[in-house]
Amino acid sequence: MADDDAENTDKYGQKETENPSIMDVKRSCRDIFCLLLFLVCWLAWLIVAIMAFTDGCPDNCNDPSKLVYGFDSNGCMCGKDCSADDTKNNVDNTGKKRLYIPDPREASMRLCVADCPPEFAFDKDASILRGTYSCTTTDCKDSTGPTFALQRSRGDTLSNNGKLDNCFVPGSKEGDCWYPAYPTSDVFFKCVPSLPAELTEEDMARMESLGLPVGNAAFGDALAVMSNPAGEFGKLTGEVQSTWPLLLASVIIAVVLGFVFLMLIRMFALPMMWIIVIGLVLVLGFATLLAWDKTGKVDIFGRLSAETGANITALADAAGGNALEGSTEPALVEAAAWILTVISIVYVVLLIFFLKRITIAVKVIVEAAKAMAAMPTIILQPIWTFLSLLILYLWAAFITIYLVSAGEFDPATGTFTYAGGTCKADLAGAELSVVHSAALVSVMLPAGMLLRGTDVGMEISFDNASTWSAAPADGMLQLTDWRMKGSKCTLDAVLQIEKCEHFNTSSSPSMVVGGCFGDSNACDAAHFSSMFQSTLTEPNTAGEIQWSAPEGALRFYIKPSTTVMDRFSFVANIHACNTTAPAGCGAFSLANTVSLGGIRYNDVIFTVETTDFTSSFTVSDGEALRSCNLYGTKETAIEKLIRGREVQLERQGKADVRELGETSWASASVTEWKGMLPVTLDGETYNYFVLFHLFMFLWTNNFTVSSGYYIVCGAVAAWYWELDKKELPKGMVWKSTVRYVRYNLGTVAFGSFIIAVVQMIRILFNYFVNKSKQFKENPVVKALVCIVNCCLWCLEKVIGYINKNAYIMSATHGMGFCKAAFKGFMLLLRNLMRVAAVNVVAGAVLFFGKV
């Protein structure tokens, strides 16, 4: 027995002596830590995605259309109204969706125009029609159109149709002048310079006199930013938007042709193998003879033409012989002839010596075709892999678009960036005040009158609680006044609530009310916020009322076991505002009587007063860090923090920041949700988020492809090692999938992680090389970069090949990744020449199939 073991063991490990029974192998969960790590990273990836999607929320949420449309010099996006933003000079780009560079020599100067100028415009009137003017003050806008600084001060006659108001003329007022226009073409909302190939002398003279650069070369700087503020990625986004039908059709055609090729292999595997092997001999031989004929040293085709009477030389030229003459150096032709000769000889020698192994390789391909015939559903596996990859690419593309468009546009650099401010030390711990406008509703009861809620309605006492009687009907309190009624109300088909243009607060069956009234009042949330409920039978509606905007009615019940007397008040976020012209907000100041159970009590009075409530909060360290990184300066950060609290107050129906709901997963706003995270998307973390996003894409991409490969390996191995093919169970591919999901997800996650690390290193290496412009022209650096890239590529291919064999061993024997990789590598070393032959032949088949 010892001798037998010695025979089966060599320096490359113990040989396989038994046929494995795939279905009977004892399996257990493998590489669990890797699977858990993969799932945790995916959870983190989801958080990164949500943070990218909600960047700037709630008041300035991220908009990926920023990648399509450009930004003017004020930082306002083309097509957007920034008239209410002082930081963007209150410009209004509504209807102006195209980016135009008025001075090609100064790409930071940008204008938004409705249509790209198609031709030259050399005077003020023509330029105004094209929209190529800068007007950032109210002085140059009136009913007659733009009139600029010098024109207003000297008159149109003196300025000669605005010539002195030309922005290129010294003395013109910046932001209050017009630009002469040049011909452009509209390319994905960018006005790309398209000057005539031959400019006339008159055009060149007028361009020079008006300040425009002369000649096409001077417009190169404008072309550099025309792709997009976000670079080539923005151009790609626009191209995909316009060409996606063609891309989708191309993908579908490629998939169909791929399946046709698989069917051909299944039906004609053996003939195709020998046709490729022998055909390659003939092609190499013909190419070698043709090369030697073109050197002139051997007249092969001329002699054949003389002996056969056919013009073989002309046929050879038609087949591509002309490519080796003409401008080609004779030395190069002869070198090509020698190279082809060596390749042909080596190929024939290898074919002779490795004929047996090539025969084995052909038989392996035939067996693969038989496996496809025995398990036709295996053809569906590439479809699932393709669909999974498609979903992954769409997911990654969406995240990438939002990440690239995150932050604020910087007109100085033409990119989206985070300010990365350093105001945290000054802002953390600061006391900020918030002023919120809402309606203060008060109900006054006469002396001796008390109201008490019950489970079935409400009770009333008129003698200081000595006796109680049931309130009329169900005891609902209703505060109605015609001055609160909305007009032009419509029913929202989705939400099924009324929305009114006048008094524009939407109706609500469960409007949350507040019980704290700012810093000057005591905040007794237990008393005020929980004493009402919007329905009689639902106790979880405490702190809510009903609001009907078309009726101008507030309705609510007193909570059971709660007694009110004298006066009680609450805050309701209803507003006397118009959404249509004349837009604006007024104020409620009214008093009326209360209806109780449908009966109006003249001595029970309610008032509604629009009131400004002031409350304070302390800025936490996390809020200070996020705000300063995002907005740069303390002043802007404070403005955004206060605005965020105002939005929370409005959404939660409160008027005092002390009454805002506690942060929870169930009711957290965007700002509160971000506040729970240990990191934020800001100037310090942005690059790390991008790198993590890239790595997760690489890892998941490799995981998806490897999963399909693993499932196919498991199915084919089960089929191959079943000697009696008639006893094959049904659903081999499905059973392989179940085994994979149940036991070896971690195995594939492990192998995919290694490949992703190598790919990430390659990407980062090339990124930093491309960023180091000073080394680009250094020949030594170029050589080193080429060598490193080659080594990393080889490392990636070697690891990928080892991974594939590890998956085969794992699918066959149920091993973990490390043991399977070792066993697979030893198996390769024991059968090195056979494996090489199989890979060469299989590779040739796939290559010609792709061609």
Side-chain angles (χ1 to χ4, degrees), residues 260-276 362 365-366 369 845:
V260 171
F261 178 67
L262 288 176
M263 298 302 297
L264 290 175
I265 290 181
R266 173 181 168 181
M267 294 183 292
F268 308 108
L270 189 59
M272 287 179 65
M273 296 306 100
W274 287 115
I275 288 173
I276 292 173
V362 172
I365 300 296
V366 173
V845 173

Side-chain angles (χ1 to χ4, degrees), residues 336-615:
W338 279 111
I339 293 173
L340 287 172
T341 301
V342 172
I343 293 176
S344 300
I345 294 173
V346 171
Y347 180 77
V348 172
V349 171
L350 291 176
L351 190 62
I352 294 173
F353 281 95
F354 290 94
L355 185 61
K356 181 178 179 180
R357 291 185 171 87
I358 292 175
T359 304
I360 295 174
V362 172
K363 290 181 179 179
V364 170
I365 300 296
V366 173
E367 289 297 311
K370 290 180 180 179
M372 290 175 57
M375 299 177 293
T377 55
I378 204 171
I379 299 178
L380 298 177
Q381 185 55 46
I383 295 180
W384 301 124
T385 301
F386 170 77
L387 293 177
S388 300
L389 290 175
L390 180 62
I391 294 173
L392 171 64
Y393 292 157
L394 290 175
W395 166 254
F398 275 116
I399 299 177
T400 303
I401 289 171
Y402 276 91
L403 277 176
V404 172
S405 61
E408 294 289 335
F409 180 74
D410 183 3
T413 61
T415 59
F416 297 99
T417 182
Y418 282 92
T422 57
C423 63
K424 175 181 176 295
D426 297 328
L427 187 58
E431 287 283 339
L432 301 183
S433 295
V434 177
V435 179
H436 180 65
S437 178
L440 176 62
V441 182
S442 299
V443 177
M444 282 75 70
L445 302 178
M449 183 176 179
L450 286 77
L451 302 177
R452 182 171 65 186
T454 68
D455 293 333
V456 294
M458 190 171 64
E459 295 178 336
I460 306 176
S461 175
F462 295 98
D463 53 8
N464 288 319
S466 296
T467 59
W468 292 90
S469 60
D474 60 357
M476 173 185 282
L477 286 162
Q478 179 168 297
L479 319 182
T480 307
D481 192 284
W482 63 270
R483 288 165 289 184
M484 292 194 297
K485 286 185 178 181
S487 61
K488 296 183 180 180
C489 302
T490 57
L491 181 66
D492 188 290
V494 178
L495 301 176
Q496 290 296 304
I497 60 173
E498 295 94 353
K499 293 184 176 180
C500 304
E501 295 181 9
H502 179 60
F503 293 174
N504 66 336
T505 305
S506 300
S507 297
S508 174
S510 56
M511 174 184 283
V512 178
V513 295
C516 299
F517 313 131
D519 290 341
S520 60
N521 299 89
C523 183
D524 187 357
H527 176 64
F528 289 109
S529 296
S530 60
M531 66 187 299
F532 314 118
Q533 59 187 45
S534 58
T535 63
L536 182 61
T537 58
E538 295 293 333
N540 59 351
T541 61
E544 300 176 358
I545 64 172
Q546 299 178 30
W547 160 245
S548 174
E551 299 177 62
L554 299 166
R555 302 185 180 99
F556 55 91
Y557 296 89
I558 303 297
K559 186 179 177 182
S561 303
T562 300
T563 302
V564 296
M565 58 186 297
D566 296 334
R567 176 190 178 106
F568 60 89
S569 304
F570 58 86
V571 172
N573 274 280
I574 57 176
H575 306 283
C577 298
N578 291 335
T579 56
T580 57
C585 293
F588 290 118
S589 181
L590 55 93
N592 211 327
T593 56
V594 176
S595 175
L596 177 60
I599 298 177
R600 187 173 292 275
Y601 286 74
N602 293 328
D603 53 352
V604 182
I605 308 298
F606 78 90
T607 61
V608 179
E609 298 283 343
T610 298
T611 308
D612 288 337
F613 300 95
T614 302
S615 56

Side-chain angles (χ1 to χ4, degrees), residues 706-734:
S706 299
S707 295
Y709 183 84
Y710 192 102
I711 292 171
V712 171
C713 289
V716 173
W719 172 86
Y720 181 80
W721 292 111
E722 182 60 55
L723 300 181
D724 187 359
K725 306 302 184 190
K726 296 181 180 179
E727 299 296 327
L728 282 172
K730 295 182 179 180
M732 301 288 286
V733 178
W734 171 250

